[in-house]
Amino acid sequence: MLQYDFENSVAYWVFATAHEMARAMNTELAACGITFRQWEVLVWLSHEGDVSQTELADRMGIEAPTLVGVLDRMERDGWIHRVQSDTDRRKNLIRPTEQVRPVWEQMVACAQRIRARATAEMSAEQLGELRGLLAMMRVGITGSDVCSRPKPAATPT
């Protein structure tokens, strides 16, 4: 049988926890009629600003053609629009619209409920330590401080 030391695997702990957080978030969002992929799109736009479809797919860890249907539905519903890049006319950037604000507020409320459940047994000090440790891991993996980018006013989950 396949053997692995899961007890000492930090990757297993991180992935298993991330999977459960995503599953809980998906359940919360579904109750509001929102998909997890729509949430991901808006989170990245909130965090990164306008990005191309290719850049967005890369950040979400999916193929660009897979993202097309999600973006088309979001554009049809008035949540996003595509605008031509000022620097590259061949590239369209994805931008949220003002119309999505009430939906975004619902999404943030879902994220806050999940965060409250996930961290209910943690002290503020423990939560800060966890945030710092995860940031250190990201720096170790990427070689750069990805957390040093400007943060949006309200960071979900």
Side-chain angles (χ1 to χ4, degrees), residues 7-73:
E7 184 64 28
N8 290 307
S9 171
V10 174
Y12 171 75
W13 300 339
V14 170
F15 286 130
T17 303
H19 177 75
E20 290 305 323
M21 296 257 324
R23 192 148 78 174
M25 189 66 185
N26 194 41
T27 300
E28 285 278 333
L29 291 168
C32 298
I34 302 163
T35 70
F36 187 74
R37 288 292 189 209
Q38 291 169 329
W39 158 252
E40 282 185 295
V41 166
L42 293 175
V43 165
W44 281 111
L45 294 177
S46 172
H47 190 262
E48 301 279 327
D50 300 349
V51 294
S52 72
Q53 181 176 312
T54 303
E55 293 165 329
L56 185 58
D58 182 55
R59 283 164 178 77
M60 291 172 64
I62 60 175
E63 296 294 323
T66 304
L67 186 56
V68 171
V70 175
L71 295 178
D72 286 348
R73 282 188 302 281

Short mmCIF file of all heavy atoms in Angstrom, two decimals, residues 7-73:
data_model
loop_
_atom_site.label_atom_id
_atom_site.label_comp_id
_atom_site.label_asym_id
_atom_site.label_seq_id
_atom_site.Cartn_x
_atom_site.Cartn_y
_atom_site.Cartn_z
N GLU A 7 1.42 12.68 9.28
CA GLU A 7 1.50 13.36 10.58
C GLU A 7 2.51 14.50 10.57
O GLU A 7 2.30 15.53 11.20
CB GLU A 7 1.85 12.35 11.67
CG GLU A 7 1.87 12.92 13.07
CD GLU A 7 0.52 13.44 13.55
OE1 GLU A 7 -0.52 12.93 13.10
OE2 GLU A 7 0.50 14.37 14.37
N ASN A 8 3.61 14.32 9.86
CA ASN A 8 4.66 15.33 9.82
C ASN A 8 4.69 16.11 8.51
O ASN A 8 5.66 16.81 8.23
CB ASN A 8 6.03 14.67 10.07
CG ASN A 8 6.14 14.22 11.51
OD1 ASN A 8 5.93 15.00 12.43
ND2 ASN A 8 6.42 12.95 11.71
N SER A 9 3.65 16.03 7.72
CA SER A 9 3.59 16.72 6.44
C SER A 9 2.87 18.06 6.57
O SER A 9 1.64 18.11 6.67
CB SER A 9 2.87 15.85 5.40
OG SER A 9 2.65 16.59 4.23
N VAL A 10 3.63 19.12 6.57
CA VAL A 10 3.04 20.46 6.64
C VAL A 10 2.15 20.70 5.42
O VAL A 10 1.08 21.29 5.54
CB VAL A 10 4.14 21.54 6.75
CG1 VAL A 10 3.55 22.94 6.69
CG2 VAL A 10 4.93 21.36 8.04
N ALA A 11 2.59 20.24 4.26
CA ALA A 11 1.79 20.41 3.05
C ALA A 11 0.42 19.75 3.21
O ALA A 11 -0.59 20.33 2.82
CB ALA A 11 2.52 19.84 1.83
N TYR A 12 0.39 18.57 3.79
CA TYR A 12 -0.89 17.89 4.00
C TYR A 12 -1.79 18.73 4.90
O TYR A 12 -2.96 18.94 4.60
CB TYR A 12 -0.68 16.50 4.62
CG TYR A 12 -1.97 15.87 5.05
CD1 TYR A 12 -2.85 15.34 4.10
CD2 TYR A 12 -2.35 15.85 6.39
CE1 TYR A 12 -4.06 14.79 4.49
CE2 TYR A 12 -3.55 15.30 6.79
CZ TYR A 12 -4.41 14.77 5.84
OH TYR A 12 -5.61 14.24 6.21
N TRP A 13 -1.25 19.25 6.01
CA TRP A 13 -2.07 20.07 6.92
C TRP A 13 -2.62 21.29 6.20
O TRP A 13 -3.79 21.62 6.34
CB TRP A 13 -1.25 20.54 8.11
CG TRP A 13 -0.65 19.48 8.97
CD1 TRP A 13 -1.02 18.17 9.09
CD2 TRP A 13 0.45 19.66 9.85
NE1 TRP A 13 -0.22 17.53 9.98
CE2 TRP A 13 0.69 18.42 10.47
CE3 TRP A 13 1.26 20.74 10.18
CZ2 TRP A 13 1.71 18.23 11.40
CZ3 TRP A 13 2.26 20.56 11.10
CH2 TRP A 13 2.48 19.32 11.70
N VAL A 14 -1.75 21.97 5.45
CA VAL A 14 -2.17 23.19 4.75
C VAL A 14 -3.22 22.87 3.69
O VAL A 14 -4.27 23.53 3.63
CB VAL A 14 -0.95 23.92 4.14
CG1 VAL A 14 -1.39 25.05 3.22
CG2 VAL A 14 -0.04 24.45 5.25
N PHE A 15 -2.95 21.85 2.86
CA PHE A 15 -3.89 21.51 1.79
C PHE A 15 -5.22 21.01 2.35
O PHE A 15 -6.29 21.38 1.85
CB PHE A 15 -3.31 20.47 0.84
CG PHE A 15 -2.27 21.01 -0.09
CD1 PHE A 15 -1.05 20.37 -0.23
CD2 PHE A 15 -2.49 22.16 -0.83
CE1 PHE A 15 -0.08 20.86 -1.10
CE2 PHE A 15 -1.53 22.67 -1.69
CZ PHE A 15 -0.31 22.00 -1.82
N ALA A 16 -5.18 20.18 3.37
CA ALA A 16 -6.41 19.65 3.95
C ALA A 16 -7.25 20.78 4.56
O ALA A 16 -8.47 20.81 4.40
CB ALA A 16 -6.09 18.58 5.00
N THR A 17 -6.58 21.70 5.23
CA THR A 17 -7.29 22.84 5.83
C THR A 17 -7.86 23.75 4.75
O THR A 17 -9.02 24.17 4.83
CB THR A 17 -6.35 23.63 6.76
OG1 THR A 17 -5.83 22.73 7.75
CG2 THR A 17 -7.08 24.77 7.43
N ALA A 18 -7.05 24.04 3.74
CA ALA A 18 -7.53 24.88 2.63
C ALA A 18 -8.72 24.24 1.93
O ALA A 18 -9.68 24.92 1.57
CB ALA A 18 -6.40 25.14 1.63
N HIS A 19 -8.67 22.93 1.77
CA HIS A 19 -9.78 22.22 1.13
C HIS A 19 -11.07 22.37 1.95
O HIS A 19 -12.14 22.64 1.40
CB HIS A 19 -9.42 20.74 0.95
CG HIS A 19 -10.53 19.93 0.37
ND1 HIS A 19 -10.86 19.98 -0.97
CD2 HIS A 19 -11.40 19.07 0.94
CE1 HIS A 19 -11.89 19.18 -1.19
NE2 HIS A 19 -12.24 18.61 -0.05
N GLU A 20 -10.96 22.20 3.25
CA GLU A 20 -12.15 22.33 4.11
C GLU A 20 -12.66 23.76 4.14
O GLU A 20 -13.88 23.98 4.16
CB GLU A 20 -11.85 21.83 5.52
CG GLU A 20 -11.66 20.33 5.61
CD GLU A 20 -12.83 19.52 5.04
OE1 GLU A 20 -14.00 19.93 5.20
OE2 GLU A 20 -12.56 18.47 4.43
N MET A 21 -11.75 24.74 4.12
CA MET A 21 -12.18 26.14 4.08
C MET A 21 -12.91 26.43 2.78
O MET A 21 -13.95 27.08 2.77
CB MET A 21 -10.97 27.09 4.23
CG MET A 21 -10.25 26.98 5.54
SD MET A 21 -10.51 28.21 6.80
CE MET A 21 -10.71 29.75 6.08
N ALA A 22 -12.36 25.92 1.66
CA ALA A 22 -13.01 26.13 0.36
C ALA A 22 -14.37 25.45 0.31
O ALA A 22 -15.34 26.02 -0.20
CB ALA A 22 -12.11 25.60 -0.77
N ARG A 23 -14.45 24.27 0.87
CA ARG A 23 -15.73 23.55 0.88
C ARG A 23 -16.77 24.29 1.72
O ARG A 23 -17.93 24.44 1.30
CB ARG A 23 -15.52 22.14 1.42
CG ARG A 23 -16.71 21.27 1.18
CD ARG A 23 -16.35 19.86 0.98
NE ARG A 23 -16.03 19.14 2.20
CZ ARG A 23 -15.80 17.85 2.20
NH1 ARG A 23 -15.84 17.17 1.08
NH2 ARG A 23 -15.53 17.23 3.32
N ALA A 24 -16.36 24.79 2.87
CA ALA A 24 -17.28 25.55 3.72
C ALA A 24 -17.71 26.84 3.02
O ALA A 24 -18.89 27.22 3.06
CB ALA A 24 -16.62 25.85 5.07
N MET A 25 -16.76 27.50 2.37
CA MET A 25 -17.07 28.73 1.66
C MET A 25 -18.03 28.46 0.51
O MET A 25 -18.98 29.22 0.30
CB MET A 25 -15.77 29.36 1.15
CG MET A 25 -15.94 30.73 0.60
SD MET A 25 -16.42 31.91 1.89
CE MET A 25 -16.68 33.35 0.89
N ASN A 26 -17.81 27.38 -0.21
CA ASN A 26 -18.69 27.01 -1.31
C ASN A 26 -20.12 26.80 -0.81
O ASN A 26 -21.08 27.24 -1.44
CB ASN A 26 -18.16 25.75 -2.00
CG ASN A 26 -18.82 25.52 -3.34
OD1 ASN A 26 -19.04 26.45 -4.10
ND2 ASN A 26 -19.14 24.28 -3.61
N THR A 27 -20.26 26.15 0.33
CA THR A 27 -21.58 25.90 0.91
C THR A 27 -22.26 27.22 1.29
O THR A 27 -23.44 27.44 1.00
CB THR A 27 -21.48 24.98 2.14
OG1 THR A 27 -20.89 23.74 1.72
CG2 THR A 27 -22.82 24.73 2.77
N GLU A 28 -21.51 28.11 1.95
CA GLU A 28 -22.05 29.43 2.34
C GLU A 28 -22.48 30.23 1.12
O GLU A 28 -23.55 30.83 1.09
CB GLU A 28 -20.99 30.23 3.12
CG GLU A 28 -20.77 29.78 4.53
CD GLU A 28 -21.80 30.34 5.50
OE1 GLU A 28 -22.38 31.42 5.26
OE2 GLU A 28 -22.01 29.68 6.53
N LEU A 29 -21.62 30.25 0.10
CA LEU A 29 -21.92 31.03 -1.10
C LEU A 29 -23.12 30.47 -1.86
O LEU A 29 -23.95 31.22 -2.37
CB LEU A 29 -20.70 31.06 -2.03
CG LEU A 29 -19.50 31.87 -1.54
CD1 LEU A 29 -18.28 31.58 -2.41
CD2 LEU A 29 -19.81 33.36 -1.49
N ALA A 30 -23.20 29.14 -1.94
CA ALA A 30 -24.30 28.49 -2.67
C ALA A 30 -25.64 28.89 -2.08
O ALA A 30 -26.62 29.07 -2.82
CB ALA A 30 -24.13 26.97 -2.65
N ALA A 31 -25.70 29.07 -0.76
CA ALA A 31 -26.95 29.49 -0.12
C ALA A 31 -27.37 30.88 -0.59
O ALA A 31 -28.54 31.24 -0.52
CB ALA A 31 -26.79 29.46 1.41
N CYS A 32 -26.41 31.66 -1.09
CA CYS A 32 -26.69 33.01 -1.61
C CYS A 32 -26.80 33.01 -3.14
O CYS A 32 -26.94 34.07 -3.75
CB CYS A 32 -25.57 33.97 -1.20
SG CYS A 32 -25.39 34.18 0.57
N GLY A 33 -26.70 31.83 -3.77
CA GLY A 33 -26.78 31.73 -5.22
C GLY A 33 -25.51 32.18 -5.93
O GLY A 33 -25.57 32.63 -7.08
N ILE A 34 -24.38 32.08 -5.25
CA ILE A 34 -23.10 32.53 -5.79
C ILE A 34 -22.18 31.31 -5.89
O ILE A 34 -22.17 30.46 -5.00
CB ILE A 34 -22.47 33.58 -4.85
CG1 ILE A 34 -23.42 34.77 -4.68
CG2 ILE A 34 -21.10 34.02 -5.34
CD1 ILE A 34 -23.11 35.66 -3.50
N THR A 35 -21.39 31.23 -6.96
CA THR A 35 -20.46 30.11 -7.09
C THR A 35 -19.10 30.45 -6.48
O THR A 35 -18.73 31.63 -6.38
CB THR A 35 -20.24 29.70 -8.56
OG1 THR A 35 -19.50 30.73 -9.23
CG2 THR A 35 -21.57 29.44 -9.27
N PHE A 36 -18.38 29.42 -6.11
CA PHE A 36 -17.05 29.60 -5.55
C PHE A 36 -16.12 30.26 -6.57
O PHE A 36 -15.30 31.10 -6.22
CB PHE A 36 -16.49 28.25 -5.10
CG PHE A 36 -15.19 28.37 -4.35
CD1 PHE A 36 -15.16 28.85 -3.06
CD2 PHE A 36 -14.00 28.00 -4.96
CE1 PHE A 36 -13.96 28.97 -2.37
CE2 PHE A 36 -12.79 28.11 -4.28
CZ PHE A 36 -12.78 28.60 -2.98
N ARG A 37 -16.24 29.89 -7.84
CA ARG A 37 -15.40 30.49 -8.88
C ARG A 37 -15.68 31.99 -9.02
O ARG A 37 -14.75 32.79 -9.23
CB ARG A 37 -15.60 29.80 -10.23
CG ARG A 37 -15.01 28.43 -10.30
CD ARG A 37 -13.51 28.47 -10.25
NE ARG A 37 -12.97 27.16 -10.53
CZ ARG A 37 -11.82 26.72 -10.06
NH1 ARG A 37 -11.08 27.48 -9.32
NH2 ARG A 37 -11.41 25.52 -10.35
N GLN A 38 -16.94 32.40 -8.92
CA GLN A 38 -17.26 33.83 -8.97
C GLN A 38 -16.60 34.55 -7.80
O GLN A 38 -16.06 35.65 -7.96
CB GLN A 38 -18.78 34.04 -8.94
CG GLN A 38 -19.47 33.57 -10.20
CD GLN A 38 -20.98 33.53 -10.05
OE1 GLN A 38 -21.52 33.29 -8.97
NE2 GLN A 38 -21.68 33.78 -11.15
N TRP A 39 -16.65 33.93 -6.65
CA TRP A 39 -15.98 34.46 -5.45
C TRP A 39 -14.50 34.63 -5.72
O TRP A 39 -13.92 35.68 -5.44
CB TRP A 39 -16.24 33.52 -4.28
CG TRP A 39 -15.26 33.61 -3.16
CD1 TRP A 39 -14.31 32.69 -2.84
CD2 TRP A 39 -15.14 34.64 -2.18
NE1 TRP A 39 -13.61 33.10 -1.74
CE2 TRP A 39 -14.11 34.30 -1.31
CE3 TRP A 39 -15.82 35.83 -1.96
CZ2 TRP A 39 -13.72 35.09 -0.24
CZ3 TRP A 39 -15.44 36.62 -0.89
CH2 TRP A 39 -14.41 36.25 -0.05
N GLU A 40 -13.86 33.59 -6.25
CA GLU A 40 -12.43 33.65 -6.53
C GLU A 40 -12.09 34.80 -7.47
O GLU A 40 -11.11 35.52 -7.26
CB GLU A 40 -11.94 32.34 -7.15
CG GLU A 40 -11.76 31.22 -6.18
CD GLU A 40 -11.16 30.01 -6.86
OE1 GLU A 40 -11.83 29.45 -7.75
OE2 GLU A 40 -10.02 29.64 -6.51
N VAL A 41 -12.87 34.95 -8.53
CA VAL A 41 -12.63 36.04 -9.49
C VAL A 41 -12.64 37.38 -8.76
O VAL A 41 -11.71 38.19 -8.89
CB VAL A 41 -13.69 36.03 -10.62
CG1 VAL A 41 -13.65 37.33 -11.42
CG2 VAL A 41 -13.48 34.83 -11.55
N LEU A 42 -13.66 37.62 -7.97
CA LEU A 42 -13.78 38.92 -7.30
C LEU A 42 -12.73 39.11 -6.22
O LEU A 42 -12.26 40.24 -6.00
CB LEU A 42 -15.19 39.10 -6.76
CG LEU A 42 -16.26 39.23 -7.85
CD1 LEU A 42 -17.65 39.29 -7.24
CD2 LEU A 42 -16.01 40.43 -8.74
N VAL A 43 -12.34 38.04 -5.55
CA VAL A 43 -11.27 38.16 -4.55
C VAL A 43 -9.97 38.61 -5.22
O VAL A 43 -9.30 39.53 -4.75
CB VAL A 43 -11.05 36.83 -3.78
CG1 VAL A 43 -9.73 36.84 -3.03
CG2 VAL A 43 -12.20 36.58 -2.83
N TRP A 44 -9.63 37.96 -6.33
CA TRP A 44 -8.38 38.34 -7.02
C TRP A 44 -8.47 39.75 -7.57
O TRP A 44 -7.49 40.50 -7.50
CB TRP A 44 -8.04 37.33 -8.12
CG TRP A 44 -7.41 36.10 -7.54
CD1 TRP A 44 -7.95 34.86 -7.48
CD2 TRP A 44 -6.14 36.02 -6.89
NE1 TRP A 44 -7.09 33.99 -6.84
CE2 TRP A 44 -5.97 34.68 -6.47
CE3 TRP A 44 -5.13 36.93 -6.63
CZ2 TRP A 44 -4.82 34.24 -5.81
CZ3 TRP A 44 -3.99 36.49 -5.97
CH2 TRP A 44 -3.84 35.17 -5.56
N LEU A 45 -9.62 40.14 -8.10
CA LEU A 45 -9.75 41.51 -8.59
C LEU A 45 -9.66 42.51 -7.45
O LEU A 45 -9.07 43.59 -7.60
CB LEU A 45 -11.06 41.68 -9.36
CG LEU A 45 -11.18 40.89 -10.67
CD1 LEU A 45 -12.57 41.09 -11.28
CD2 LEU A 45 -10.09 41.25 -11.65
N SER A 46 -10.23 42.18 -6.31
CA SER A 46 -10.15 43.05 -5.14
C SER A 46 -8.71 43.19 -4.68
O SER A 46 -8.26 44.28 -4.32
CB SER A 46 -11.02 42.48 -4.02
OG SER A 46 -10.82 43.20 -2.83
N HIS A 47 -7.98 42.09 -4.70
CA HIS A 47 -6.61 42.09 -4.20
C HIS A 47 -5.61 42.65 -5.20
O HIS A 47 -4.71 43.40 -4.83
CB HIS A 47 -6.21 40.66 -3.81
CG HIS A 47 -4.93 40.60 -3.06
ND1 HIS A 47 -3.74 40.31 -3.67
CD2 HIS A 47 -4.65 40.81 -1.75
CE1 HIS A 47 -2.78 40.33 -2.77
NE2 HIS A 47 -3.30 40.63 -1.60
N GLU A 48 -5.76 42.32 -6.48
CA GLU A 48 -4.76 42.65 -7.49
C GLU A 48 -5.14 43.85 -8.35
O GLU A 48 -4.28 44.40 -9.03
CB GLU A 48 -4.56 41.46 -8.43
CG GLU A 48 -4.11 40.20 -7.75
CD GLU A 48 -2.63 40.17 -7.47
OE1 GLU A 48 -1.87 40.73 -8.28
OE2 GLU A 48 -2.24 39.59 -6.46
N GLY A 49 -6.42 44.21 -8.39
CA GLY A 49 -6.85 45.23 -9.33
C GLY A 49 -7.17 44.58 -10.68
O GLY A 49 -7.28 43.36 -10.78
N ASP A 50 -7.29 45.37 -11.71
CA ASP A 50 -7.61 44.85 -13.04
C ASP A 50 -6.50 43.92 -13.52
O ASP A 50 -5.32 44.28 -13.47
CB ASP A 50 -7.75 45.99 -14.04
CG ASP A 50 -8.85 46.97 -13.67
OD1 ASP A 50 -9.64 46.67 -12.76
OD2 ASP A 50 -8.91 48.04 -14.29
N VAL A 51 -6.88 42.73 -13.98
CA VAL A 51 -5.93 41.78 -14.54
C VAL A 51 -6.52 41.18 -15.80
O VAL A 51 -7.74 41.20 -16.00
CB VAL A 51 -5.55 40.64 -13.55
CG1 VAL A 51 -4.78 41.19 -12.36
CG2 VAL A 51 -6.77 39.89 -13.09
N SER A 52 -5.66 40.63 -16.64
CA SER A 52 -6.14 39.97 -17.85
C SER A 52 -6.74 38.61 -17.49
O SER A 52 -6.51 38.08 -16.41
CB SER A 52 -5.00 39.78 -18.85
OG SER A 52 -4.12 38.77 -18.39
N GLN A 53 -7.49 38.06 -18.42
CA GLN A 53 -8.09 36.74 -18.22
C GLN A 53 -7.00 35.69 -17.97
O GLN A 53 -7.15 34.84 -17.10
CB GLN A 53 -8.92 36.36 -19.43
CG GLN A 53 -9.60 35.02 -19.30
CD GLN A 53 -10.49 34.73 -20.49
OE1 GLN A 53 -11.28 35.59 -20.88
NE2 GLN A 53 -10.37 33.55 -21.05
N THR A 54 -5.91 35.77 -18.71
CA THR A 54 -4.81 34.82 -18.55
C THR A 54 -4.18 34.94 -17.18
O THR A 54 -3.92 33.93 -16.50
CB THR A 54 -3.75 35.03 -19.65
OG1 THR A 54 -4.37 34.90 -20.92
CG2 THR A 54 -2.61 34.04 -19.53
N GLU A 55 -3.93 36.18 -16.73
CA GLU A 55 -3.35 36.40 -15.40
C GLU A 55 -4.30 35.92 -14.31
O GLU A 55 -3.87 35.31 -13.33
CB GLU A 55 -3.05 37.89 -15.20
CG GLU A 55 -1.94 38.41 -16.10
CD GLU A 55 -1.90 39.93 -16.17
OE1 GLU A 55 -2.96 40.59 -16.04
OE2 GLU A 55 -0.80 40.45 -16.37
N LEU A 56 -5.58 36.17 -14.49
CA LEU A 56 -6.57 35.75 -13.52
C LEU A 56 -6.63 34.22 -13.43
O LEU A 56 -6.64 33.65 -12.34
CB LEU A 56 -7.94 36.33 -13.89
CG LEU A 56 -9.08 36.11 -12.93
CD1 LEU A 56 -8.76 36.66 -11.54
CD2 LEU A 56 -10.35 36.76 -13.48
N ALA A 57 -6.65 33.56 -14.57
CA ALA A 57 -6.67 32.09 -14.58
C ALA A 57 -5.43 31.54 -13.90
O ALA A 57 -5.51 30.56 -13.12
CB ALA A 57 -6.76 31.57 -16.02
N ASP A 58 -4.28 32.16 -14.13
CA ASP A 58 -3.04 31.72 -13.50
C ASP A 58 -3.13 31.85 -11.98
O ASP A 58 -2.77 30.93 -11.25
CB ASP A 58 -1.87 32.55 -14.03
CG ASP A 58 -0.55 32.11 -13.44
OD1 ASP A 58 -0.22 30.90 -13.55
OD2 ASP A 58 0.17 32.97 -12.89
N ARG A 59 -3.64 32.95 -11.51
CA ARG A 59 -3.78 33.15 -10.06
C ARG A 59 -4.77 32.16 -9.45
O ARG A 59 -4.61 31.74 -8.32
CB ARG A 59 -4.18 34.59 -9.76
CG ARG A 59 -3.00 35.54 -9.89
CD ARG A 59 -3.47 36.98 -9.99
NE ARG A 59 -2.38 37.93 -10.06
CZ ARG A 59 -1.66 38.19 -11.14
NH1 ARG A 59 -1.89 37.54 -12.27
NH2 ARG A 59 -0.71 39.10 -11.14
N MET A 60 -5.81 31.82 -10.21
CA MET A 60 -6.82 30.88 -9.72
C MET A 60 -6.38 29.43 -9.87
O MET A 60 -7.04 28.53 -9.34
CB MET A 60 -8.14 31.12 -10.45
CG MET A 60 -8.79 32.45 -10.11
SD MET A 60 -10.23 32.84 -11.14
CE MET A 60 -11.37 31.53 -10.68
N GLY A 61 -5.30 29.20 -10.62
CA GLY A 61 -4.81 27.85 -10.82
C GLY A 61 -5.65 27.01 -11.77
O GLY A 61 -5.76 25.80 -11.61
N ILE A 62 -6.25 27.69 -12.76
CA ILE A 62 -7.06 26.98 -13.75
C ILE A 62 -6.64 27.43 -15.15
O ILE A 62 -5.94 28.44 -15.30
CB ILE A 62 -8.58 27.21 -13.55
CG1 ILE A 62 -8.94 28.69 -13.67
CG2 ILE A 62 -9.04 26.64 -12.22
CD1 ILE A 62 -10.44 28.97 -13.60
N GLU A 63 -7.07 26.71 -16.17
CA GLU A 63 -6.78 27.09 -17.54
C GLU A 63 -7.67 28.27 -17.95
O GLU A 63 -8.83 28.35 -17.56
CB GLU A 63 -7.05 25.91 -18.48
CG GLU A 63 -6.15 24.72 -18.23
CD GLU A 63 -4.69 24.99 -18.54
OE1 GLU A 63 -4.42 25.73 -19.51
OE2 GLU A 63 -3.83 24.50 -17.81
N ALA A 64 -7.10 29.18 -18.75
CA ALA A 64 -7.85 30.37 -19.19
C ALA A 64 -9.17 30.02 -19.87
O ALA A 64 -10.20 30.66 -19.58
CB ALA A 64 -6.98 31.23 -20.10
N PRO A 65 -9.22 28.99 -20.76
CA PRO A 65 -10.51 28.67 -21.38
C PRO A 65 -11.58 28.22 -20.37
O PRO A 65 -12.77 28.45 -20.58
CB PRO A 65 -10.17 27.54 -22.35
CG PRO A 65 -8.72 27.73 -22.66
CD PRO A 65 -8.12 28.25 -21.38
N THR A 66 -11.14 27.62 -19.27
CA THR A 66 -12.07 27.18 -18.22
C THR A 66 -12.74 28.39 -17.58
O THR A 66 -13.90 28.32 -17.16
CB THR A 66 -11.32 26.36 -17.15
OG1 THR A 66 -10.66 25.28 -17.79
CG2 THR A 66 -12.24 25.86 -16.06
N LEU A 67 -12.03 29.48 -17.52
CA LEU A 67 -12.52 30.69 -16.87
C LEU A 67 -13.53 31.46 -17.73
O LEU A 67 -14.35 32.22 -17.21
CB LEU A 67 -11.33 31.59 -16.53
CG LEU A 67 -11.57 32.85 -15.73
CD1 LEU A 67 -12.26 32.55 -14.40
CD2 LEU A 67 -10.24 33.54 -15.49
N VAL A 68 -13.51 31.24 -19.04
CA VAL A 68 -14.35 32.01 -19.96
C VAL A 68 -15.82 31.97 -19.58
O VAL A 68 -16.48 33.01 -19.52
CB VAL A 68 -14.15 31.53 -21.42
CG1 VAL A 68 -15.18 32.16 -22.35
CG2 VAL A 68 -12.75 31.84 -21.89
N GLY A 69 -16.35 30.78 -19.30
CA GLY A 69 -17.77 30.65 -18.97
C GLY A 69 -18.13 31.42 -17.71
O GLY A 69 -19.18 32.07 -17.65
N VAL A 70 -17.27 31.36 -16.71
CA VAL A 70 -17.51 32.09 -15.46
C VAL A 70 -17.54 33.59 -15.74
O VAL A 70 -18.46 34.30 -15.30
CB VAL A 70 -16.43 31.76 -14.40
CG1 VAL A 70 -16.60 32.62 -13.16
CG2 VAL A 70 -16.43 30.29 -14.05
N LEU A 71 -16.55 34.07 -16.47
CA LEU A 71 -16.49 35.50 -16.78
C LEU A 71 -17.65 35.95 -17.65
O LEU A 71 -18.21 37.03 -17.43
CB LEU A 71 -15.16 35.84 -17.46
CG LEU A 71 -13.91 35.65 -16.60
CD1 LEU A 71 -12.66 35.98 -17.41
CD2 LEU A 71 -13.97 36.47 -15.32
N ASP A 72 -18.04 35.11 -18.62
CA ASP A 72 -19.18 35.46 -19.46
C ASP A 72 -20.45 35.62 -18.63
O ASP A 72 -21.22 36.57 -18.83
CB ASP A 72 -19.40 34.40 -20.54
CG ASP A 72 -18.38 34.45 -21.66
OD1 ASP A 72 -17.61 35.44 -21.74
OD2 ASP A 72 -18.32 33.48 -22.45
N ARG A 73 -20.69 34.70 -17.70
CA ARG A 73 -21.88 34.81 -16.83
C ARG A 73 -21.80 36.05 -15.94
O ARG A 73 -22.80 36.75 -15.75
CB ARG A 73 -22.04 33.55 -15.98
CG ARG A 73 -22.62 32.36 -16.75
CD ARG A 73 -22.95 31.19 -15.84
NE ARG A 73 -21.81 30.68 -15.09
CZ ARG A 73 -20.85 29.88 -15.57
NH1 ARG A 73 -20.89 29.49 -16.82
NH2 ARG A 73 -19.87 29.47 -14.80
#
